[in-house]
Amino acid sequence: MHIVDLLFVSYIVALAYRVGGRILQRIRPLNLKDGENIVFAIGFGLGIISLLVFFLGILGLFYNWAFLILLFFLTLFSLWGAKIKRKQKLRAFPYELLIFLPWFFLVILSALSPPIDWDGLAYHLAVPKLYLQAHRIFWIKFIHHSNFPFLMEMLYTIPLSFGLTDACKLFHFTYALLIISLLYIELRKYGKIAGLMGAILPLQTVIFSWETTIAYNDLAFAFYVLLAVSAFLKNEFLLSGIAMGFSLGTKHLALSFLLVFCLLLLFYKEGRLVFKAVFSEFPRKLAVFLLPALLLALPWYLKSYIYTGNPVYPFFYSIFDGRLWNAEAAEAYREAQLSMGMGRGLIQFILLPWNLTFHPGKFFDPGANPYFVLIGPLYLAFLPLLLYEPFFLAFIFLSVIQWFLLSQNIRYFLPILAVLPLPLAKNLKRFWRKPFKMIFASLLGISYLFHLFLFSWMSYPCWAVALGLESREDFIRRVFQSYPVYEFANENLPKDSKIALLGEPRGFYLDREYIWADPGHHTMIPYEKFKSVEELIEGYKKLGITHIIINRIFAPGNPESERPLDKLLSNPLSCPYVELLFADREVYLFRIK
């Protein structure tokens, strides 16, 4: 079955290459080489396909036949006007790239397994599944994440409609390959060694490899920022704006990178930064860059505004307000973002490179495996090389400031880690001579092998199911704590059931209607008005809720609290208003009496 997922993703990527290539033919960029054309074409093509899927959803056409028609017309568009090129002399194969084969196969083995990651099961995959069930894009009121820009998730919708769940993770893996390819192609002009060093630097980070095996959007975000930087440095401001438009379609955080580009544009002249602002050329360059970026991002932010009244929902609540949200939820959300990191003072900013390298666990979700966020010491060791590159020094400095102040989550640092190899590998080539080259080669090789070992150690539980030695159901049941309860609910509950999820937002594998019922996700459930557990249960009934699933590991309740929800969670088995139907590994399914 895995071959179907691989072939399907390869087909979509081939379509994207042709669609993006037609766009580049219209723009006729002057400064792109052959290899760069391929990467730009695929990146643009995937972005266009995502937008087309979005408009299908807005029109209520999320049906298999609609996706087949879309793919049919994209195929015709790709083939129309195609010419068979004359046989050209083959270039020498870049054998140095064979060093990536171990990493490639490890990633494929891990990616070709059922999704079990938190955010993927909570919304990256769960929201497209809900859209497909409704055959349209609609406001999922209990998942505030559904109002985020969803460029990547629209790509996931296509394979999900055909039951090809693993293909979703392969799309995210594709963006990792695009990042590595662009780094190699950009730096290859300085020699094979520079290209190889630039491409291998991201693989010194476990988080990069781990992200290739899950259905998130961080690698797409990082790729489009890198693509925008690449085009910017070639004075292709229209291409840079298009890339930023697609980046804005992946995360709200891309708005901060957009601001960085606009600031640098004011001091950018003839391919370099200058100390005096260039006002004469600024308005034209800004318009060429900003217009496509905003137009391509508009659908996502307009959708959010129409649904919630806030274009960047749920952020900036104090400015835009927003439906089914309040100041308390906004404050709790902000505190969760600020909980990561090691402080936001001047000293902490100065020590940030050191802290990121040697205290990476502080910059990720609490309780997560600290090895996920290990980025290795080579970025820190090579950081002084930025002094040779004023543009990159300014870009990295401004980007780090916004990341430092907004949310110190290492996942959001990936665009910076994707851009850093460009100046580091280029200037490391300056010192590639005896005896330094042996030292640098040894450091890169040892670090690469060490991170391969760590990644293998983290991902080997997925290999059995990828190789067909374990069934998908057994694998999910073994590693996803709530799956047995979901299986029971899918098989035994009435079709019209509606389940409140407490301590368990990962609803992708649940085939009954559900709602996130934890406080802080929305204001649909007025917990502050309930005076007793009985009133709480009656409030659930008014929302049509018939059953409750409680994951007591993440929602243990507080037995000393007087809040009705805490009373229910701390001892649900003694509640007279619910009946236990099934339990497994601290996950309980109750029927409301």
Side-chain angles (χ1 to χ4, degrees), residues 17 34 38 83-92:
Y17 168 64
D34 289 341
I38 295 173
K83 298 179 180 179
I84 300 177
K85 295 183 178 180
R86 294 180 178 179
K87 188 175 181 180
Q88 297 179 346
K89 184 179 179 181
L90 294 177
R91 297 181 180 180

Side-chain angles (χ1 to χ4, degrees), residues 94-170:
Y95 288 101
E96 66 272 14
L97 297 184
L98 293 177
I99 194 174
F100 294 101
L101 279 180
W103 173 83
F104 180 86
F105 286 120
L106 286 176
V107 168
I108 287 291
L109 276 177
S110 303
L112 289 176
S113 60
I116 54 172
D117 54 89
W118 187 283
D119 284 359
L121 299 185
Y123 73 95
H124 288 297
L125 296 176
V127 169
K129 179 182 176 181
L130 292 174
Y131 287 162
L132 289 169
Q133 289 173 345
H135 303 297
R136 62 186 177 89
I137 289 175
F138 65 102
W139 182 18
I140 303 175
K141 297 180 180 180
F142 62 88
I143 303 180
H144 60 267
H145 305 75
S146 65
N147 294 289
F148 291 174
F150 257 30
L151 187 87
M152 195 70 207
E153 289 73 10
M154 291 298 97
L155 273 183
Y156 297 156
T157 305
I158 308 174
L160 283 177
S161 68
F162 299 108
L164 301 175
T165 306
D166 295 347
C168 300
K169 299 203 287 185
L170 293 176

Side-chain angles (χ1 to χ4, degrees), residues 269-330:
K269 183 178 182 180
E270 297 177 356
R272 61 187 181 89
L273 282 184
V274 294
F275 290 104
K276 187 177 180 181
V278 187
F279 291 105
S280 59
E281 301 177 8
F282 180 67
R284 180 186 63 83
K285 291 180 178 178
L286 183 65
V288 171
F289 170 78
L290 205 54
L291 187 60
L294 296 180
L295 285 176
L296 288 171
L298 181 62
W300 313 107
Y301 296 83
L302 182 61
K303 175 183 78 73
S304 180
Y305 178 76
I306 292 173
Y307 286 163
T308 70
N310 180 349
V312 290
Y313 186 90
F315 303 104
F316 295 109
Y317 177 81
S318 59
I319 299 174
F320 297 109
D321 200 35
R323 302 183 185 100
L324 297 181
W325 202 247
N326 55 31
E328 291 76 18

Side-chain angles (χ1 to χ4, degrees), residues 476-527:
I476 302 171
R477 196 178 296 116
R478 175 168 59 84
V479 298
F480 180 36
Q481 172 200 11
S482 299
Y483 190 68
V485 175
Y486 285 3
E487 279 187 308
F488 181 89
N490 294 338
E491 295 171 2
N492 296 280
L493 297 191
K495 295 287 186 181
D496 59 350
S497 301
K498 185 174 182 179
I499 305 173
L501 299 180
L502 289 164
E504 185 51 86
R506 296 168 291 180
F508 176 70
Y509 290 116
L510 190 57
D511 293 333
R512 295 294 181 267
E513 185 180 356
Y514 64 89
I515 178 175
W516 290 4
D518 293 297
H521 291 307
H522 51 78
T523 59
M524 294 173 63
I525 305 174
Y527 283 109

Side-chain angles (χ1 to χ4, degrees), residues 374-438:
L374 191 64
I375 64 173
L378 290 188
Y379 276 102
L380 177 64
F382 298 152
L383 210 55
L385 296 173
L386 275 176
L387 297 174
Y388 288 98
E389 300 286 341
F391 171 84
F392 284 104
L393 182 62
F395 179 85
I396 297 299
F397 179 75
L398 293 173
S399 300
V400 169
I401 286 178
Q402 55 86 12
W403 176 86
F404 181 79
L405 295 176
L406 293 175
S407 178
Q408 295 179 21
N409 187 326
I410 195 67
R411 290 197 295 114
Y412 307 151
F413 202 77
L414 278 171
I416 298 171
L417 291 177
V419 171
L420 268 172
L422 289 175
L424 299 187
K426 173 186 173 183
N427 288 286
L428 192 59
K429 187 68 167 56
R430 293 170 178 259
F431 303 95
W432 199 258
R433 55 182 180 270
K434 292 182 179 181
F436 299 111
K437 68 178 182 180
M438 294 302 298

Side-chain angles (χ1 to χ4, degrees), residues 36 182-198 233-234 389 392 421-430 432:
E36 294 165 344
L182 185 59
L183 289 173
Y184 176 79
I185 293 166
E186 285 284 340
L187 291 163
R188 180 68 174 77
K189 67 186 76 168
Y190 304 107
K192 290 183 179 181
I193 294 299
L196 187 59
M197 286 191 296
L233 291 172
K234 297 176 175 59
E389 300 286 341
F392 284 104
L422 289 175
L424 299 187
K426 173 186 173 183
N427 288 286
L428 192 59
K429 187 68 167 56
R430 293 170 178 259
W432 199 258

